[in-house]
Amino acid sequence: MQIVTSLSFNGQCRQALEFYQSVLGGELRAFPYSDAPPGMPVDAKYDDWLMHGWLQIGDQAIMGADMPSEFAPNIDKPKNGFDISYHCTDAEEARRVHDALSEGGT
């Protein structure tokens, strides 16, 4: 069994998953809204946003999607009560990942 964290974004999903991929490696599969089934009620301005993103890293994964405000009215509000943990047995690799993920962060 695998439990996968899914992250919601407001237009930054591809950028976020590509960043995680640059740090953690893995294979990214990205499906923009422009590939949605015909008749899906999504404004064309969201065509480049990701309807579904999947970053496979070994036997683990992170999912993500851009959520237009029509589907998620509170998407632009700050999120609370949320964490993702990264576990590693190699101290050097753990430091590399920590440094890369925290660069420019607050």
Side-chain angles (χ1 to χ4, degrees), residues 2-60:
Q2 182 181 31
I3 298 173
V4 178
T5 299
S6 182
L7 308 173
S8 297
F9 296 91
N10 190 16
Q12 309 86 7
C13 185
R14 182 183 302 276
Q15 178 184 2
L17 291 179
E18 287 176 350
F19 171 69
Y20 296 142
Q21 181 184 33
S22 75
V23 173
L24 302 171
E27 178 185 345
L28 177 60
R29 288 176 264 161
F31 304 93
Y33 279 99
S34 60
D35 290 346
M40 188 169 168
V42 179
D43 193 303
K45 68 184 176 186
Y46 301 121
D47 278 355
D48 291 334
W49 284 24
L50 292 189
M51 178 173 52
H52 178 72
W54 181 278
L55 177 58
Q56 187 71 42
I57 310 159
D59 63 350
Q60 302 297 313

Side-chain angles (χ1 to χ4, degrees), residues 28-96:
L28 177 60
R29 288 176 264 161
F31 304 93
Y33 279 99
S34 60
D35 290 346
M40 188 169 168
V42 179
D43 193 303
K45 68 184 176 186
Y46 301 121
D47 278 355
D48 291 334
W49 284 24
L50 292 189
M51 178 173 52
H52 178 72
W54 181 278
L55 177 58
Q56 187 71 42
I57 310 159
D59 63 350
Q60 302 297 313
I62 300 173
M63 287 174 47
D66 286 311
M67 305 298 292
S69 59
E70 296 88 345
F71 298 148
N74 294 317
I75 192 65
D76 59 342
K77 304 254 187 313
K79 309 294 187 273
N80 292 306
F82 181 96
D83 297 295
I84 296 178
S85 295
Y86 171 79
H87 296 258
C88 181
T89 58
D90 180 304
E92 287 183 35
E93 177 66 2
R95 174 58 57 193
R96 181 193 72 77

